């Protein structure tokens, strides 16, 4: 289900053959992902009975920064009492237009609302369970329906969050061990009678959905596929996030989520999004007023988009239906910036040269957008790393006024104006002669130091993909054939003998598979050793290699033979001086 993206983080020059889609999928992957690639910024809404408790149960408080929507689990609130409490949910001030309007003025293009969170309560009119906002509360209005209609009117793509495994209300759902004996749970019954039927209701009653945001994974891949198949059968264009599957197995879905509030260390070869919240909680808490500043949110957006991802930013409405004034104010200010600078965000791709000391970048067509966080003291912005000829520079806010540029020892210098600075990020637009290309980059070594080669500084070829793993780490996987390669371009300054240390995880199916490590003309072969199941990484010693010449060297790893399973989940290749202090000195 996951396609390699066309925009790699650093080495963008290699294009991946288009994978054939399973005949189940009615639309080609590219078409279905198009809006996701363009839109970049979405609104997440966590809203449910927990909003009424606002972080407190019978005098016990959720500490600031902890997750208020977890209150039922945290204080082991009995189902009977939580259900009684939920009867009081009556958000009389709720106005769906206000939500859609705020998303719109913040520059957000999609909205994801918790149709059911882990507490099992549906924020829509469900016939599967009467424990929903229409049948259970005096409010009697379908919040999900009203939001879906308001979003459609205001041009926001509507999406739902659905916790498909966790359900603290249902005797057979996952998670409630204080009311129900885990040994007596019939999880299949839960899937059959609540989770899948509710998913069907959401897919058939609320118009076209942009994506379904599952959470907490499934026990098995087979179970996850039942959800994926249902979504694709009823709404072929609707995307599925990666948390649909078992976190410890191969990740499924149309795109991956980083961990909650995760920031990426680098780009990935697949589509991704990071869910983050404006303070420290998802559902509303009276005890958490630690709001991020508008500038912080803007810089996070830039950081994420500059690495090829999407930013799903959460608000937690109050139980009366209003949006906390502080979070609305932050979003309005982010919107001000987006109105002026959205051109540098929507439809852009990852920066091909990584990050700069003064800020970040994105690219689109023949334009490079430089997001300047720190104003250079001498007024000259130094932009290294682009090979492309740069034809002109101007502030995005003043396109008619060209800024003087020149190149000095390969580094572009832009003479910045004294005025027009934005405290969050000032955007400079460079126009390149053609598609912006990065300079070929070589990894250098310090004195007597090892080479640490990992996913971040690697170039992937063929089917090899830089992927997220649910532990919050990253690796390279999906390589099966000799053309699926991982490559590094290094600069050897200290000839000598190096110990080769490979860190990876490998499933039993990969045991004994041969691979080749290429150091220029020298080849070292190895055989995969299993590390048990899935993502259990271990360090393996592959002997020593003598790098006798100073200068450029290409290092690669590839499967020796075609076919079979994923070779390994590769984490890093370390070249350690065999005898410390004995490497040749730099001239
Ligand atoms: O919906 C939001 C979270 O409630 C949900 N994902 C985001 C989008 C989420 N599900 N699981 N987790 C987050 C991770 C679980 C964290 C926990 Fe805890 C640590 C559960 C128990 C210990 C945080 C601290 C919540 C309660 C105490």
């Amino acid at each position: 289900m996951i396609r390699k993206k066309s925009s790699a983080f650093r080495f963008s020059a290699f294009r991946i053959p288009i994978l054939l889609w399973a005949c189940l999928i009615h639309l080609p992957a590219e078409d279905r992902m198009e809006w996701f690639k363009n839109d970049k910024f979405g609104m997440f809404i966590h809203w449910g009975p927990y909003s009424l408790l606002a972080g407190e149960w019978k005098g016990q408080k959720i500490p600031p920064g902890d997750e208020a929507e977890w209150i039922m689990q945290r204080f082991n609130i009995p189902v009977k009492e939580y259900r009684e409490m939920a009867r009081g949910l009556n958000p009389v001030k709720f106005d769906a237009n206000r939500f859609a309007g705020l998303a719109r003025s913040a520059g957000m293009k999609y909205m994801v609302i918790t149709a059911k969170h882990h507490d099992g309560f549906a924020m829509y009119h469900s016939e599967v369970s009467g424990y929903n906002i229409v049948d259970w509360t005096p409010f009697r209005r379908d919040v999900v329906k009203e939001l879906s209609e308001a979003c459609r009117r205001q041009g926001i793509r509507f999406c739902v969050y659905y916790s498909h495994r966790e359900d603290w209300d249902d005797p057979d759902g996952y998670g409630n061990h204080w009311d129900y004996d885990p040994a007596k749970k019939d999880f299949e019954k839960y899937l059959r009678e609540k989770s899948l039927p509710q998913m069907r209701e959401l897919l058939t009653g609320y118009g076209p959905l942009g994506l379904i945001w599952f959470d907490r994974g499934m026990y098995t891949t087979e179970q996850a596929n039942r959800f994926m198949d249902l979504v694709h059968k009823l709404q072929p264009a609707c995307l599925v996030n990666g948390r649909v599957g078992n976190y410890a197995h191969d990740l499924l879905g149309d795109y991956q989520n980083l961990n909650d509030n995760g920031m990426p260390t680098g780009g990935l070869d697949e589509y991704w999004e990071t869910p983050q919240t404006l303070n420290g909680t998802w559902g509303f808490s009276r005890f958490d007023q630690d709001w991020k500043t508008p500038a912080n949110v803007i810089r996070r957006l830039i950081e994420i988009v500059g690495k090829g991802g999407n930013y799903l930013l959460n608000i937690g409405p109050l139980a009366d239906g209003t949006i906390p004034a502080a979070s609305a104010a932050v979003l309005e200010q982010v919107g001000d910036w987006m109105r002026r600078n959205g051109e540098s965000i929507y439809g852009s791709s990852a920066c091909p040269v990584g990050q700069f000391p003064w800020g970040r970048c994105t690219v689109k067509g023949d334009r490079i957008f430089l997001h300047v966080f720190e104003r250079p003291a001498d007024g000259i912005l130094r932009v290294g790393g682009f090979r492309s000829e740069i034809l002109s520079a101007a502030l995005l806010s003043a396109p008619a006024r060209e800024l003087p540029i020149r190149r000095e020892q390969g580094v572009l210098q832009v003479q910045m104006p004294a005025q027009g600075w934005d405290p969050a990020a000032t955007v400079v637009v460079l126009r390149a002669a053609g598609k912006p290309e990065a300079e070929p980059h070589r990894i250098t070594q310090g004195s007597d130091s090892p080479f640490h080669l990992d996913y971040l500084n690697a170039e992937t070829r063929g089917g090899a993909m830089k992927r997220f793993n649910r532990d919050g780490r990253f690796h390279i996987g999906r390589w099966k054939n000799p053309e699926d390669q991982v490559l590094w371009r290094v600069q050897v300054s200290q000839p000598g003998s190096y110990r080769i240390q490979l860190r990876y995880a490998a499933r039993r199916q990969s045991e004994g598979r041969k691979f080749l490590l290429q150091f220029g003309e020298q080849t070292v072969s190895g055989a995969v050793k299993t590390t048990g199941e899935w993502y259990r990484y271990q360090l393996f010693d592959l002997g020593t290699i003598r790098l006798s010449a100073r200068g450029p060297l290409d290092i690669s790893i590839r499967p020796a033979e075609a076919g079979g399973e994923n070779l390994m989940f590769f984490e890093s290749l370390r070249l350690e001086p065999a005898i410390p202090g004995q490497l040749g000195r730099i001239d």
Side-chain angles (χ1 to χ4, degrees), residues 500-570:
I500 307 167
Q501 294 181 318
L502 211 52
R503 197 173 147 78
Y504 62 81
R507 302 179 63 205
R508 279 178 236 294
Q509 288 89 327
S510 304
E511 175 76 29
R513 285 207 60 194
K514 303 261 186 321
F515 58 88
L516 302 174
L517 273 126
Q518 200 78 42
F519 296 86
E521 300 297 307
Q522 302 181 74
T523 308
V524 174
S525 59
V528 174
K529 290 200 175 74
T530 180
T531 60
E533 282 303 298
W534 300 95
Y535 311 140
R536 231 170 283 148
Y537 302 92
Q538 280 177 28
L539 194 68
F540 294 94
D541 211 303
L542 271 88
T544 57
I545 179 90
R546 186 153 179 85
L547 305 179
S548 43
R550 283 192 184 84
L553 179 72
D554 289 352
I555 300 175
S556 67
I557 311 178
R558 63 176 188 273
E561 293 142 12
E565 283 281 315
N566 173 40
L567 183 71
M568 62 174 75
F569 299 110
F570 169 88

Side-chain angles (χ1 to χ4, degrees), residues 153-173:
R153 278 194 298 275
Q154 302 213 36
I156 302 289
R157 201 172 290 266
F158 185 69
C159 314
V160 296
Y161 169 109
Y162 187 83
S163 180
H164 60 328
R165 178 182 72 147
E166 199 98 6
D167 196 313
W168 306 326
D169 186 73
D170 193 288
D172 296 305

Side-chain angles (χ1 to χ4, degrees), residues 195-396:
S195 196
L196 282 160
Q198 285 203 328
M199 185 41 45
R200 178 179 284 273
E201 288 181 324
L202 289 165
L203 286 161
T204 50
Y206 298 88
L209 302 175
L211 57 84
I212 309 284
W213 218 96
F214 294 103
D215 207 355
R216 299 286 282 173
M218 260 300 136
Y219 289 107
T220 69
T221 300
E222 186 274 324
Q223 289 164 340
N225 277 327
R226 274 193 259 163
F227 284 90
M228 297 245 292
D229 292 349
L230 187 65
V231 176
H232 290 142
K233 186 173 101 190
L234 296 174
Q235 290 211 26
C238 178
L239 306 181
V240 172
N241 76 331
R243 293 194 190 174
V244 66
N246 184 315
Y247 293 174
H249 291 186
D250 197 10
L251 297 172
L252 304 171
D254 294 304
Y255 72 92
Q256 294 307 322
N257 285 109
L258 300 195
N259 286 0
D260 289 355
N261 294 304
M263 281 303 272
T265 43
L268 299 176
D269 288 330
E270 55 197 334
Y271 298 106
W272 62 272
E273 174 196 61
T274 180
Q276 300 191 1
T277 186
L278 257 182
N279 52 352
T281 173
W282 303 87
F284 178 70
S285 164
R286 286 193 293 127
F287 310 109
D288 191 338
Q289 299 294 324
D290 192 14
W291 309 104
K292 293 181 179 65
T293 62
N296 185 314
V297 170
I298 291 162
R299 290 184 181 189
R300 281 168 185 264
L301 176 63
I302 292 166
E303 175 85 30
I304 292 161
V305 174
K307 287 174 176 163
N310 281 19
Y311 187 21
L312 184 61
L313 179 58
N314 180 71
I315 57 166
L318 280 74
D320 67 1
T322 57
I323 298 165
S327 47
V330 173
L331 294 190
E332 292 287 359
Q333 289 183 59
V334 172
D336 283 345
W337 187 90
M338 285 295 273
R339 271 184 289 284
R340 285 179 273 116
N341 300 292
E343 179 62 19
S344 70
I345 300 292
Y346 304 123
S348 69
S349 306
C351 181
V353 300
Q355 55 198 48
F356 306 95
W358 42 258
R360 303 287 183 268
C361 102
T362 58
V363 296
K364 183 154 74 176
D366 63 355
R367 286 176 298 167
I368 303 164
F369 298 97
L370 307 174
H371 295 95
V372 188
F373 299 162
E374 308 299 334
R375 185 183 176 165
D378 61 0
I380 296 170
L381 192 71
R382 291 168 180 80
V383 190
F386 282 104
R387 166 166 70 188
S388 315
E389 186 193 347
I390 304 299
L391 306 176
S392 67
L395 291 187
L396 184 57

Side-chain angles (χ1 to χ4, degrees), residues 44 46 67 69-70 74 117-118 161 215-216 260 282:
F44 214 174
H46 275 67
E67 307 181 341
E69 71 287 356
W70 276 76
R74 185 163 189 123
H117 202 262
H118 310 337
Y161 169 109
D215 207 355
R216 299 286 282 173
D260 289 355
W282 303 87

Side-chain angles (χ1 to χ4, degrees), residues 52-74:
L52 198 53
L53 296 179
E56 184 169 2
W57 174 252
K58 294 186 176 172
Q60 303 174 91
K61 297 183 176 75
I62 298 258
D66 260 19
E67 307 181 341
E69 71 287 356
W70 276 76
I71 193 163
M72 182 180 178
Q73 195 260 15
R74 185 163 189 123

